[in-house]
Amino acid sequence: MKLFRYGKPGKERTAVIYRSHSLDVSGFTENYDEPFFENDGLVRLREYVKANHSRLAPVSAGERLGCPIGRPSKIVCIGLNYADHARETNAQVPSEPVIFLKSTTAIIGPNDDVIIPKNSVKTDWEVELGVVICHRASYLNESEAVNCIAGYVLHNDISEREFQLERNGTWDKGKGCDTFAPLGPYLVTTDEINDINNLRLHLHVNDQLMQNGTTSNLIFKIPYLISYVSQFMTLLPGDIISTGTPAGVGLGMTPPVYLKPGDIMDLEIEGLGSQRQQVKAWGKNNLENYGS
């Protein structure tokens, strides 16, 4: 099952893809949020759609898409989880997962504009696989972790490298700026993916291929990551763990290449859909229409 949300920022309605048709399910649930996942929403939604699909209103192909999850409590990101990415940035392959948090105010829809922050000169791209949590969880072992996955989502982990690496602090400074977390188009449930450890992921900037990787190269696999993160914080339904990016980011090039106004990013993960964002310069008017 593929879940999505559509409409104006802050006023999104819920919908699903059923037998290749986009159908509004806002009569069943107003949001795909923590209470939805916590109360077996995925199971109940599947039954509802199966019983009522012929009576559900279609969703127009021209609608804006929002983040498929209503504002999660947190986005937990894993740094340096592909060996090739660690090498290109001259970083040591970590012995344990690197964890940082990405602000939920950074969330936008998959095709919304990305805004270069005020005073930024090193805004970068990162295509990533996100894992969506469906149960409250802490201190899990790996066998328990697999039962906490609602599904998967495409994430562009936009990063400002100067803020992240040169401003005396944790990575969060360069990760949580407004519009820095395009998510979607879909939350794809686990039954839709044959092998999560063998998905192609790629990203283009202005039609030039920058990243071309596979989840088979994840250093720390998904059950381990969920278990590991749960040792340090409680995961809530709807939370997202973003699993890291492969080689090909702007920071790793010689010389480095960063985003500029007018650039177009296209990214995709096999089975999870695609995103397309236009990059714009910071300005108060540019931030009026962003949101999840």
Side-chain angles (χ1 to χ4, degrees):
M1 191 162 55
K2 292 183 176 70
L3 286 64
F4 68 99
R5 294 164 69 242
Y6 72 97
K8 294 181 179 180
K11 297 180 180 180
E12 291 90 349
R13 298 167 65 93
T14 53
V16 298
I17 303 291
Y18 181 79
R19 296 179 180 174
S20 301
H21 297 288
S22 298
L23 303 175
D24 183 290
V25 295
S26 56
F28 173 78
T29 181
E30 292 185 353
N31 213 346
Y32 298 138
D33 54 10
E34 183 178 339
F36 170 81
F37 293 108
E38 194 168 30
N39 293 293
D40 293 322
L42 287 175
V43 174
R44 294 185 295 107
L45 176 62
R46 193 184 303 273
E47 294 172 351
Y48 173 82
V49 173
K50 184 177 180 180
N52 297 282
H53 63 91
S54 63
R55 295 186 291 273
L56 297 176
V59 178
S60 169
E63 293 281 358
R64 171 196 172 264
L65 299 178
C67 170
I69 302 99
R71 186 72 58 83
S73 81
K74 52 188 171 290
I75 304 172
V76 184
C77 295
I78 309 300
L80 303 174
N81 200 26
Y82 288 78
D84 56 357
H85 175 54
R87 286 194 298 270
E88 73 171 349
T89 57
N90 297 314
Q92 185 175 353
V93 173
S95 58
E96 294 185 49
V98 175
I99 294 176
F100 60 91
L101 294 176
K102 197 172 185 87
S103 173
T104 57
T105 54
I107 294 174
I108 57 172
N111 304 313
D112 290 343
D113 295 335
V114 166
I115 308 301
I116 295 176
K118 186 177 182 179
N119 302 319
S120 166
V121 294
K122 297 182 180 180
T123 295
D124 204 349
W125 56 84
E126 293 189 6
V127 59
E128 301 199 4
L129 169 69
V131 182
V132 183
I133 302 299
C134 62
H135 300 302
R136 184 183 180 98
S138 59
Y139 298 108
L140 297 176
N141 59 42
E142 289 186 54
S143 62
E144 294 170 324
V146 296
N147 296 319
C148 288
I149 302 173
Y152 307 99
V153 65
L154 172 60
H155 176 212
N156 192 354
D157 178 23
I158 309 293
S159 309
E160 210 300 339
R161 301 305 189 183
E162 181 184 7
F163 297 177
Q164 176 189 353
L165 302 171
E166 304 172 32
R167 296 290 297 273
N168 292 340
T170 63
W171 288 7
D172 306 75
K173 289 180 181 178
K175 295 287 189 172
C177 302
D178 292 343
T179 77
F180 269 27
L183 288 160
Y186 311 117
L187 187 167
V188 180
T189 53
T190 56
D191 58 297
E192 295 264 341
I193 303 298
N194 291 327
D195 184 3
I196 197 62
N197 294 311
N198 191 29
L199 299 182
R200 301 299 307 184
L201 60 170
H202 56 80
L203 182 146
H204 292 75
V205 178
N206 301 329
D207 296 324
Q208 181 179 352
L209 180 63
M210 297 299 191
Q211 293 185 273
N212 185 19
T214 171
T215 56
S216 64
N217 291 330
L218 285 169
I219 297 170
F220 303 108
K221 303 299 184 183
I222 289 169
Y224 178 81
L225 289 175
I226 297 172
S227 171
Y228 185 86
V229 172
S230 78
Q231 310 304 308
F232 302 98
M233 65 191 78
T234 296
L235 293 168
L236 297 179
D239 282 356
I240 298 165
I241 298 176
S242 197
T243 58
T245 198
V249 300
L251 174 66
M253 297 180 180
T254 305
V257 175
Y258 296 113
L259 294 167
K260 61 186 183 302
D263 285 345
I264 301 291
M265 290 179 285
D266 291 284
L267 55 151
E268 183 176 8
I269 297 180
E270 181 182 357
L272 301 187
S274 60
Q275 299 183 358
R276 182 179 178 89
Q277 297 108 28
Q278 182 176 1
V279 179
K280 293 187 176 180
W282 182 87
K284 292 181 180 179
N285 293 337
N286 282 344
L287 293 175
E288 289 178 354
N289 296 316
Y290 88 94
S292 61

